[in-house]
Amino acid sequence: MEILSFFEWLDTSFLATISKAYGGTFAVIQMFHLLGLAVMGGMVLLSDLRLLGIVMRDVPSEIVVENTNRWFTIALIVLIATGIFMSSAVALKLYYNEMFWGKMIGLLIGVLFVYFIKRPLLSQDHSTLKPSTIRSVAITSIIIWFSVAASGRWIGFS
Amino acid sequence: MLNEWLLSLAEWLDATSWSTSIHESYYLYAWIESTHVLTITIFLGMLFIIDFRMLGLAFRKVPADVIADRLDKPMMIGFSVMIITGLLLYYAIPVRTTQSIWFRMKVILLIAAAINAFTFRTKMRQSVETWSTQPVAPKRIRNGAAFSLAFWAGVVMTGRAIAYDWFDCHKDLSSFMYWAAGCVYELESHSSGGA
């Protein structure tokens, strides 16, 4: 019940008022959400494909991970900020949308995974880690973020 | 005229049975569109990283030609998937898409992005050895990277806007908008009604 009242509040908040008064606002924010997706997806893929030894094999994986980390965080902030705005516009519809909750759970798992498992683990010299550990971290990361992005697209279809 | 020709091509495609099949198949259309959207992470993701490197915003210590060369293949794989799924999306809804002002802007931006990419590549290949290890590329290369980011961001934004019906032909629009969107029939009745 408390979650529902939060969504009811969001539905009447000033963010929702803006997007309901100006239909174009939602579309423009959504465009930036997509650009954020391009940057974040690019960073996830580059870092994980490097960890799997598929791309940029001649650049140390520590360097690739370090460079993609910063842009991942920037993109994540853009995605969450634009995402909150988009959610407020259709708050009650989302509350009853299973795909939306699937995405939110995936997002929570993804954030916890990146900041509490992936980054602390990869902050050490990669040669000291077991190759199988590095591979499982990379595959887990790709699966989580692909699910989050795909379920996000599917909110619109469901 | 171009508008009439494009519309008759779209109407011809629309009459083919496969076009109707994709359009009416809920899951097939949704799958193609989701693939189209998610592939921007591969195509634009790699392209943005190359542009960021030229602008000195990422991978400053890795030679620019290494980034551009190693990411070229995944980028082109992503690009191929985007083109194939994009053509299928057009083929599924040809008439409305042809008459979408946003789709038309997207195509123009795509052409601009392609011309920019071609000149950018040529300029880069000619001189990359002299500045590859510097953290930031020379100004003319940075301009190319900035245009690349702007054009592709425009492609994404106009592409997303195709889904909205604000300027669809059935709306009450000005003659200019009817012409720009290619609303051939509406433009005819609009001008005859006004005369």
Side-chain angles (χ1 to χ4, degrees):
Chain A
M1 272 317 282
E2 281 183 4
I3 299 176
L4 177 59
S5 39
F6 172 74
F7 276 77
E8 281 169 346
W9 170 79
L10 199 59
D11 192 53
T12 53
S13 70
F14 85 102
L15 285 179
T17 316
I18 295 172
S19 53
K20 279 167 190 162
Y22 309 100
T25 324
F26 182 85
V28 172
I29 297 289
Q30 197 177 36
M31 292 167 186
F32 284 98
H33 196 71
L34 266 180
L35 289 174
L37 168 73
V39 175
M40 187 193 198
M43 298 304 156
V44 169
L45 282 172
L46 182 56
S47 107
D48 293 339
L49 292 178
R50 172 62 190 91
L51 292 171
L52 291 170
I54 296 172
V55 292
M56 294 230 282
R57 298 161 70 115
D58 52 349
V59 177
S61 54
E62 288 89 347
I63 290 179
V64 176
V65 167
E66 182 199 322
N67 277 280
T68 50
N69 276 355
R70 191 160 50 105
W71 280 100
F72 174 90
T73 303
I74 295 171
L76 183 66
I77 293 169
V78 171
L79 283 166
I80 291 179
T82 51
I84 289 174
F85 186 91
M86 287 160 65
S87 309
S88 68
V90 283
L92 285 177
K93 200 173 146 190
L94 287 180
Y95 179 80
Y96 295 104
N97 185 310
E98 282 180 12
M99 240 352 130
F100 171 74
W101 289 108
K103 175 173 178 169
M104 289 306 108
I105 292 165
L107 176 64
L108 181 66
I109 294 172
V111 169
L112 294 174
F113 173 75
V114 166
Y115 293 98
F116 292 99
I117 298 175
K118 190 181 176 190
R119 288 202 181 176
L121 195 70
L122 295 177
S123 63
Q124 46 198 306
D125 189 340
H126 294 185
S127 60
T128 61
L129 297 166
K130 273 199 280 179
S132 60
T133 309
I134 294 183
R135 272 200 301 276
S136 7
V137 165
I139 291 169
T140 311
S141 163
I142 289 182
I143 291 174
I144 293 176
W145 293 114
F146 172 78
S147 313
V148 173
S151 53
R153 171 58 271 200
W154 218 267
I155 292 172
F157 292 134
S158 51
Chain B
M1 287 287 286
L2 187 61
N3 272 338
E4 281 82 3
W5 185 80
L6 287 172
L7 183 60
S8 52
L9 173 73
E11 283 171 340
W12 174 73
L13 286 173
D14 194 43
T16 60
S17 61
W18 283 28
S19 170
T20 318
S21 306
I22 301 176
H23 186 134
E24 289 183 353
S25 152
Y26 175 77
Y27 281 107
L28 187 57
Y29 187 82
W31 270 104
I32 297 171
E33 190 173 61
S34 300
T35 308
H36 191 68
V37 174
L38 293 180
T39 310
I40 68 171
T41 58
I42 306 174
F43 170 56
L44 281 194
M46 298 306 125
L47 184 113
F48 283 179
I49 292 166
I50 297 172
D51 289 340
F52 285 175
R53 169 62 185 89
M54 302 303 162
L55 294 167
L57 299 172
F59 290 100
R60 292 165 65 96
K61 288 175 189 161
V62 181
D65 60 339
V66 170
I67 296 287
D69 182 70
R70 306 299 184 271
L71 297 187
D72 193 58
K73 202 167 152 190
M75 181 176 77
M76 292 318 285
I77 293 172
F79 183 71
S80 315
V81 177
M82 296 227 81
I83 290 288
I84 294 167
T85 50
L87 286 172
L88 285 170
L89 289 175
Y90 173 81
Y91 176 58
I93 310 180
V95 175
R96 182 181 177 264
T97 313
T98 301
Q99 296 186 320
S100 159
I101 188 78
W102 301 109
F103 177 72
R104 290 170 170 233
M105 286 163 67
K106 178 173 178 171
V107 171
I108 292 169
L109 285 164
L110 272 171
I111 295 168
I115 295 169
N116 182 61
F118 184 74
T119 49
F120 176 80
R121 262 192 185 207
T122 316
K123 275 185 202 161
M124 197 185 79
R125 285 205 177 136
Q126 280 167 352
S127 65
V128 72
E129 279 159 23
T130 58
W131 52 266
S132 193
T133 52
Q134 287 170 18
V136 183
K139 190 144 199 302
R140 61 185 191 288
I141 301 290
R142 289 207 305 276
N143 288 340
F147 275 120
S148 162
L149 285 174
F151 286 143
W152 287 109
V155 169
V156 172
M157 294 171 112
T158 49
R160 177 59 256 193
I162 296 171
Y164 293 94
D165 66 354
W166 308 315
F167 302 110
D168 274 16
C169 288
H170 63 82
K171 301 266 172 161
D172 194 19
L173 307 173
S174 66
S175 299
F176 172 76
M177 283 301 290
Y178 279 139
W179 170 78
C183 305
V184 175
Y185 306 130
E186 289 77 3
L187 184 61
E188 270 171 23
S189 58
H190 193 258
S191 45
S192 62

